[in-house]
Amino acid sequence: MAAAGPMALRRVGAAAAARGRGTLLTRGILTRAAPPRHRGPLPRTPWTTRGPPPEELARAVERRPVREQVELDAVTYAGRQHFVPGLARPRFPPWDRGWHDPWHSPGPRYEDMPLYKERGCYVCHQRVRMLEGVRQAQWLTKTKLVEGLPPSVLSIVDDSAHRLEDYEERVKCAISHARLWDTTEVAPRREHYCPVLFEDLLHICRLMSMKYPSLAKRMLARNYKISATWERESTLLQVRGLNGILMNSMAPIPPVASKEEILATEEHVLETFYPISPTIDLQEVNVYKELNDTGFRDGYPYSHPHTLFFLESANIRPNRFRPEQLRAKMLMFAFGNALAKAKVLYGNDPKVLEQPVVVQSIGTDGQLFQFMVFQLNTTDLVSSDGIKNLVWIDSDQNLYEKAQCIPEVKKRVVTKPAGIYGFQPDTFKKFLALYLHGTV
Amino acid sequence: MRRSSAALREERGAIERRASRKAPPLSVPAALSRGGACRLEGWLVHVVPSGQSGVPGGEGCPSAVSLLCKMAASGRRRLLSHGRCWFSQTESAAPPQSPDSLYPPIVASATAKSKAAKRRRLEYFNQRVHAAASIEEKLRLYGQLQRPKYMLYPQTFALNADRWYRSFTKTVFVPGLPPRAVSAAAKAPGAVAPEAAKTPEGAAGVAPEAAKAPAPGTAAPGAAKTPGLAAGAAPYLDMGELRSLACDALLQESFYQNKKRPYLYRDQDHTPGPFLTQLVSTLAAFLCGRNPLLAASSLDLKPEVNYYWHHGEEVVVHGHRKGRVDPVRFQIDDHPHLQIRVPKQLPEIVPLESDLGDVPVIDHKPSKLPLFKKQYENKVFIGSKVADPCCYGHTQFHLIPDKLKRERFVRANLEDQIEVLYRANGIASLFAWTAAQAMYQGFWNEADVTHPFVSQAVVTDGKYFAFFCYQLNTLALTVETIQNNPRKNICWGTDSKPLYDVVEDGSVKGFNDEVLLQLVRFLLNRPKEL
């Protein structure tokens, strides 16, 4: 080590090797030798017992740049063209190629882009996980929350004329198909079984169209993009991008809440969560276009958004949205769809809608279901008082408790044979009721 | 290590003496006979609910258990001590002898390097598969031995691949679709005479046959598909409604939805794929009132279909097994875009022993096609496991990928190969699907099918549609079983026809009703009793 200087590069492992391979850990990273560290208890000096003197503290708080703290005429070894111990380290100006190479250019700056605006806009896209969840989404969309599904949907669930009990066997088959039978491996992964379960349930719902012919007037759209812009107490907000699978219908859903309920929302006060700002976790952009687009061109026959489906099918748990975050995302995108449709129907001026726009939303991760019905009553969202929008949420409905792919064996005895455990038919009834809502 | 026959006899005698001895006091847990769970040294006992009296082992369980206990307890001379665990069991497979005979039956050796020994091993394997307890066990034994095998791709660029595939699967190709069975009572009087006018009568739409131009090979115009049509009570198929459904799906995917440009070489994921999914799901929902089979069906998106079989013989070319005569092994791993599975089978089109043509014989090795060999798991799969109640196939939908689209064939001056591609796809995919369905019912090449398995397929590239119908009459394609087997599999198919000419400005130009009608007829196909 005598030959190597303090500024020379050396491998960390050399120190370990010098120590005689005491450790198994060899890290091949290059470091510079740090000044020798004092590894014992601190020496008891007035500085360590009483703290540094005030002028030292003041200097630390000052935050002068390092180059000012070092003397200005510090002599560097730049002229010497090689390292010299004792001289300062020079800082060179960044190298300029002299010509524009498209493969190595940093790109245009935000300030030079044509859509640059001084005022920032907060964008909610499909990867946004809101800290405060549904409360934050409520504040941003000026919505009042009602627990449970609305009475018009519950009446479809309870109505025995629909004979929803006949479908229990089919639903169990669908769950077994998705969770147990659909793969050549032993057990399918969530990325595989979540969409399969959703498709199977939707297939069962679609087969109801033999009883209700107007159900045929529905169309699914995958990979569509929504854009909606609104202002909320001096912050500009946008909902953008791909979100989920949208089911469109030719006829809109009739309004769910009565006029009295809508007028009663005037007294409701939106929750704030000071000191957290309501725009936390939203992406702030300065380059944007204020766009309102439903995702489809004019003249589309199935012009009314009916239900939005969200599938949380990531295999790894941290990549999936938690139920609270999923509900917030469902609320934001249902609102975005309703707002874009309302602006197409009634124009861009903020006003209270005589015919509220209703959009439903269902989110699932293959087992838990979240149901939501959103009614847009007003597009006047700048102030926090006045008529508010309404949302009904039914959260955390389990379709089944457990799906056992291989039988559980304890001490060579089969304790739990393979199959689906804890099936709850009510969840599917609500799914079907939300599907039938608007035509029945 | 060879054991002399005397030692064998002595051991067998010892076993018989042990078996005839009185059972030692071994407490068989009483709970077992009642169906509870119990532990037994070295053996797994399943929880049998007491309600199931149909379980065969229920009553015989205690005695079998006690015998097993004795065998486990004795420990000293195990039957299976040699590591050749089939050794003792072949004795039980030998022909039964009279109880007073001291000599074992004289059979060929099972381990020698002789043809008789190979035959005996093959026989033993066949018996094991026949005697397998469940279908999963049978499939596992069938595909247990892994060796290099030819991978058959249904969607292939190979020239004249459909001829090669027909020879591998012993299939006869009949151009055109089979004539539909005329349902006697339902033959509506107006259906036979071609009605030019499409005026709907009252509330009902027009009969579908009116719009049908003679499709090639279809002899009779075919009766109306809807049941109970005699009195005209049930509504006719409304062509206008169906056409609007199809056009709406097409327009949404290609015109109304704002989409980005398609990715490079991924054109089929941009428009034709979503259009096909949308079309089939809406049509199936619309037609399920008329076809109760569709109401009980299961729709799979991008499922997997696999089949493994032997056909013909070859000599191993290189390696440590060089010079041996091996069966030629094939494997199909197919990924249709969409498939419909149903719980009841489609009816047979022609009787089991019909002969509608010739199977081409190709004298070259399959590797000349080109086909390549690989060794991996031998899978047999219809799209879901054996436990699924929807174990029969109805219709498959295949999407032609971008690298096999028509423009490429035209640019390479291979226009005649376009139809070959569709036919090869239809034959290979449907053979794999129907054969896998037959294996799920317990048939295999030693136990041939007793009734034909029928499935349908539609091969499309978004605009051009080709329809195929397949009847599987035989699974026996190996060298031993094909010798006295007169049956052939039959595939009917059409050429590819366009569904529409072009989509522009929010409207579909040149929509072809016959193609849609054929698709609807495929979806409405069902067994006669429904």
Side-chain angles (χ1 to χ4, degrees):
Chain A
M1 299 287 251
M7 292 296 281
L9 292 174
R10 62 186 64 135
R11 285 200 182 271
V12 172
R19 257 179 303 182
R21 282 170 236 284
T23 60
L24 289 171
L25 185 66
T26 43
R27 290 166 298 162
I29 46 178
L30 297 175
T31 55
R32 292 192 189 282
R37 296 180 54 199
H38 173 75
R39 285 171 198 273
L42 276 180
R44 292 179 63 81
T45 64
W47 198 305
T48 55
T49 48
R50 289 188 305 210
E55 44 282 6
E56 273 291 326
L57 279 175
R59 210 181 314 146
V61 169
E62 238 177 41
R63 289 176 188 264
R64 277 162 51 218
V66 174
R67 298 203 66 85
E68 276 186 36
Q69 293 174 19
V70 171
E71 296 98 41
L72 288 172
D73 321 331
V75 180
T76 67
Y77 56 79
R80 298 281 283 274
Q81 299 269 342
H82 64 91
F83 171 73
V84 172
L87 295 184
R89 189 152 177 258
R91 195 206 280 177
F92 298 102
W95 175 65
D96 179 26
R97 197 179 298 266
W99 54 282
H100 170 75
D101 182 4
W103 290 93
H104 295 97
S105 89
R109 292 166 58 233
Y110 284 130
E111 288 79 9
D112 301 333
M113 292 183 187
L115 293 173
Y116 177 76
K117 295 167 182 63
E118 289 293 336
R119 186 187 186 197
C121 172
Y122 292 89
V123 174
C124 176
H125 49 78
Q126 60 174 343
R127 298 288 307 269
V128 156
R129 298 188 189 216
M130 300 213 241
L131 178 69
E132 288 291 322
V134 180
R135 282 200 308 169
Q136 185 176 356
Q138 278 182 269
W139 189 93
L140 291 171
T141 58
K142 199 173 166 191
T143 312
K144 177 178 171 201
L145 170 69
V146 180
E147 289 291 339
L149 287 174
S152 54
V153 176
L154 290 173
S155 67
I156 305 180
V157 175
D158 297 327
D159 193 355
S160 57
H162 301 307
R163 297 264 298 273
L164 300 179
E165 293 78 21
D166 296 347
Y167 289 89
E168 259 185 61
E169 223 19 75
R170 302 225 46 202
V171 175
K172 281 200 199 141
C173 267
I175 304 174
S176 306
H177 171 244
R179 283 304 303 258
L180 306 175
W181 302 328
D182 193 45
T183 170
T184 45
E185 303 150 25
V186 173
R189 297 173 161 243
R190 197 181 290 260
E191 272 166 358
H192 188 75
Y193 75 68
C194 187
V196 169
L197 179 63
F198 166 68
E199 292 295 334
D200 280 343
L201 292 179
L202 207 58
H203 183 61
I204 298 176
C205 292
R206 262 194 292 245
L207 295 177
M208 289 284 277
S209 61
M210 58 175 145
K211 274 198 223 161
Y212 308 105
S214 51
L215 277 183
K217 307 261 184 294
R218 299 268 181 95
M219 193 67 79
L220 272 183
R222 295 160 207 263
N223 300 333
Y224 84 105
K225 294 196 173 101
I226 187 69
S227 320
T229 317
W230 73 101
E231 195 167 327
R232 185 91 182 83
E233 282 196 7
S234 77
T235 38
L236 197 57
L237 297 161
Q238 276 201 359
V239 161
R240 284 282 198 140
L242 298 168
N243 34 11
I245 304 174
L246 177 66
M247 184 162 66
N248 291 309
S249 72
M250 280 195 183
I253 308 179
V256 170
S258 56
K259 294 275 181 217
E260 296 78 31
E261 282 182 36
I262 300 175
L263 290 173
T265 59
E266 277 203 65
E267 290 92 41
H268 177 79
V269 173
L270 294 170
E271 286 178 74
T272 50
F273 20 90
Y274 182 84
I276 300 176
S277 153
T279 53
I280 192 174
D281 285 329
L282 297 181
Q283 181 179 4
E284 186 182 359
V285 290
N286 285 92
V287 178
Y288 57 91
K289 209 170 14 171
E290 292 188 36
L291 192 60
N292 284 295
D293 183 20
T294 51
F296 299 91
R297 285 203 205 175
D298 297 328
Y300 184 44
Y302 301 86
S303 49
H304 297 270
H306 188 276
T307 315
L308 252 185
F309 298 99
F310 290 90
L311 302 178
E312 286 303 310
S313 54
N315 272 335
I316 311 173
R317 201 161 171 268
N319 290 359
R320 289 200 294 273
F321 273 51
R322 302 280 93 231
E324 184 64 25
Q325 298 161 344
L326 179 60
R327 286 194 288 273
K329 176 164 118 165
M330 283 159 64
L331 179 50
M332 291 302 293
F333 281 101
F335 172 79
N337 276 290
L339 187 65
K341 185 66 199 164
K343 289 203 172 163
V344 162
L345 285 177
Y346 304 114
N348 278 336
D349 309 320
K351 58 171 177 259
V352 176
L353 307 173
E354 317 86 38
Q355 194 69 0
V357 176
V358 177
V359 174
Q360 298 173 146
S361 186
I362 301 182
T364 174
D365 68 348
Q367 190 164 346
L368 271 180
F369 280 76
Q370 328 278 345
F371 301 108
M372 174 189 302
V373 181
F374 176 81
Q375 176 168 320
L376 184 77
N377 298 321
T378 167
T379 51
D380 178 16
L381 302 158
V382 180
S383 64
S384 278
D385 25 275
I387 297 210
K388 310 206 172 35
N389 307 314
L390 278 163
V391 69
W392 291 261
I393 297 189
D394 204 1
S395 45
D396 294 339
Q397 307 288 314
N398 242 335
L399 186 56
Y400 53 93
E401 289 301 329
K402 189 156 167 53
Q404 194 80 25
C405 296
I406 29 181
E408 190 180 300
V409 178
K410 286 262 161 72
K411 294 189 186 169
R412 297 196 187 129
V413 167
V414 176
T415 45
K416 226 175 170 186
I420 305 286
Y421 291 92
F423 171 66
Q424 276 164 32
D426 291 328
T427 314
F428 178 71
K429 286 190 188 164
K430 290 180 189 164
F431 187 99
L432 188 53
L434 282 179
Y435 184 88
L436 295 173
H437 191 211
T439 50
V440 164
Chain B
M1 160 174 120
R2 306 277 310 269
R3 303 185 69 202
S4 64
S5 48
L8 263 176
R9 251 177 285 136
E10 189 249 302
E11 188 186 60
R12 208 175 310 105
I15 293 160
E16 280 167 18
R17 280 194 297 276
R18 250 183 281 144
S20 55
R21 231 184 296 146
K22 249 187 19 195
L26 195 73
S27 58
V28 175
L32 182 61
S33 49
R34 283 199 306 273
C38 87
R39 265 174 64 188
L40 220 51
E41 188 175 324
W43 296 88
L44 183 60
V45 179
H46 275 249
V47 174
V48 173
S50 45
Q52 281 186 16
S53 56
V55 175
E59 292 75 28
C61 236
S63 55
V65 158
S66 53
L67 180 58
L68 293 172
C69 287
K70 269 183 268 160
M71 284 172 56
S74 63
R76 187 171 51 92
R77 289 277 287 268
R78 286 181 175 263
L79 280 175
L80 314 181
S81 57
H82 276 250
R84 297 221 182 257
C85 53
W86 45 262
F87 197 58
S88 62
Q89 287 158 10
T90 42
E91 308 301 345
S92 59
Q97 40 175 352
S98 44
D100 51 352
S101 153
L102 289 178
Y103 297 98
I106 300 177
V107 288
S109 156
T111 51
K113 196 178 167 186
S114 66
K115 292 202 179 70
K118 182 144 190 255
R119 258 188 311 219
R120 190 158 167 235
R121 284 195 293 270
L122 211 58
E123 228 177 77
Y124 175 61
F125 169 73
N126 293 343
Q127 273 157 15
R128 269 178 76 199
V129 178
H130 277 298
S134 64
I135 306 278
E136 288 99 340
E137 181 64 22
K138 203 176 252 198
L139 290 176
R140 190 189 70 84
L141 286 174
Y142 176 74
Q144 197 176 31
L145 180 62
Q146 276 190 25
R147 284 270 148 78
K149 57 192 174 180
Y150 287 111
M151 297 179 295
L152 236 65
Y153 293 99
Q155 293 174 334
T156 171
F157 51 79
L159 301 180
N160 294 326
D162 69 325
R163 231 178 126 248
W164 288 80
Y165 287 179
R166 272 186 282 149
S167 83
F168 296 148
T169 60
K170 205 180 175 192
T171 309
V172 170
F173 184 76
V174 179
L177 287 176
R180 288 264 165 243
V182 172
S183 48
K187 185 143 189 173
V192 182
E195 289 153 27
K198 282 210 211 127
T199 52
E201 46 223 9
V206 82
E209 282 64 45
K212 187 178 77 63
T218 315
K225 299 303 291 175
T226 57
L229 210 42
Y236 285 71
L237 277 178
D238 190 0
M239 271 316 291
E241 181 85 35
L242 292 168
R243 201 184 309 131
S244 70
L245 274 178
C247 289
D248 282 340
L250 185 57
L251 285 171
Q252 184 202 303
E253 292 306 328
S254 45
F255 182 72
Y256 283 119
Q257 188 172 332
N258 294 336
K259 290 186 186 178
K260 280 187 160 172
R261 282 174 49 196
Y263 292 127
L264 185 62
Y265 303 136
R266 293 269 176 267
D267 275 325
Q268 79 271 20
D269 292 334
H270 187 254
T271 308
F275 161 58
L276 192 61
T277 317
Q278 198 71 266
L279 179 69
V280 174
S281 34
T282 37
L283 277 183
F286 185 74
L287 295 170
C288 65
R290 289 177 176 76
N291 187 355
L293 198 61
L294 276 185
S297 65
S298 170
L299 192 70
D300 299 333
L301 295 188
K302 299 218 174 37
E304 199 186 334
V305 173
N306 306 312
Y307 187 60
Y308 167 77
W309 77 102
H310 296 181
H311 177 67
E313 254 181 352
E314 67 175 358
V315 176
V316 179
V317 162
H318 62 273
H320 67 281
R321 303 182 70 239
K322 180 173 173 176
R324 300 183 209 194
V325 174
D326 246 6
V328 182
R329 302 174 197 93
F330 297 93
Q331 167 92 40
I332 292 186
D333 294 318
D334 190 21
H335 296 269
H337 186 74
L338 201 65
Q339 78 182 11
I340 301 179
R341 282 176 298 112
V342 287
K344 291 204 181 41
Q345 206 183 353
L346 289 176
E348 66 174 31
I349 305 174
V350 287
L352 195 56
E353 307 282 345
S354 342
D355 187 357
L356 295 183
D358 286 322
V359 177
V361 174
I362 297 186
D363 289 327
H364 302 284
K365 283 179 72 162
S367 55
K368 301 289 179 205
L369 176 58
L371 275 181
F372 299 97
K373 282 199 171 182
K374 202 159 100 158
Q375 177 175 324
Y376 57 103
E377 194 194 338
N378 300 329
K379 288 200 265 200
V380 176
F381 194 61
I382 64 166
S384 75
K385 292 187 185 163
V386 182
D388 198 329
C390 292
C391 51
Y392 295 103
H394 190 270
T395 317
Q396 263 184 348
F397 292 84
H398 295 266
L399 198 59
I400 305 273
D402 193 75
K403 66 193 292 219
L404 295 170
K405 58 186 182 186
R406 292 179 104 90
E407 291 83 28
R408 283 189 197 234
F409 281 105
V410 169
R411 246 184 283 149
N413 292 331
L414 291 169
E415 282 91 358
D416 46 338
Q417 299 295 321
I418 299 175
E419 293 305 325
V420 165
L421 164 68
Y422 284 85
R423 279 202 294 268
N425 196 356
I427 293 173
S429 305
L430 281 174
F431 171 74
W433 206 26
T434 44
Q437 288 168 44
M439 288 213 75
Y440 270 36
Q441 300 308 313
F443 302 109
W444 58 299
N445 47 29
E446 298 289 329
D448 212 352
V449 295
T450 50
H451 56 277
F453 282 78
V454 172
S455 288
Q456 303 168 132
V458 177
V459 184
T460 173
D461 71 346
K463 186 169 162 193
Y464 288 85
F465 282 70
F467 299 91
F468 295 92
C469 225
Y470 197 92
Q471 172 161 327
L472 183 86
N473 293 325
T474 173
L475 275 182
L477 300 170
T478 58
V479 170
E480 301 92 18
T481 47
I482 206 174
Q483 278 161 5
N484 299 327
N485 187 11
R487 301 188 200 167
K488 298 172 194 160
N489 304 320
I490 312 171
C491 179
W492 290 265
T494 64
D495 285 343
S496 55
K497 291 201 251 323
L499 181 65
Y500 58 93
D501 281 335
V502 72
V503 175
E504 59 187 24
D505 286 344
S507 65
V508 178
K509 303 265 189 311
F511 193 85
N512 190 349
D513 278 343
E514 295 139 29
V515 176
L516 184 62
L517 198 54
Q518 190 56 261
L519 183 60
V520 165
R521 268 197 220 119
F522 261 30
L523 287 175
L524 286 177
N525 199 2
R526 64 190 177 286
K528 292 189 192 48
E529 52 272 8
L530 281 184

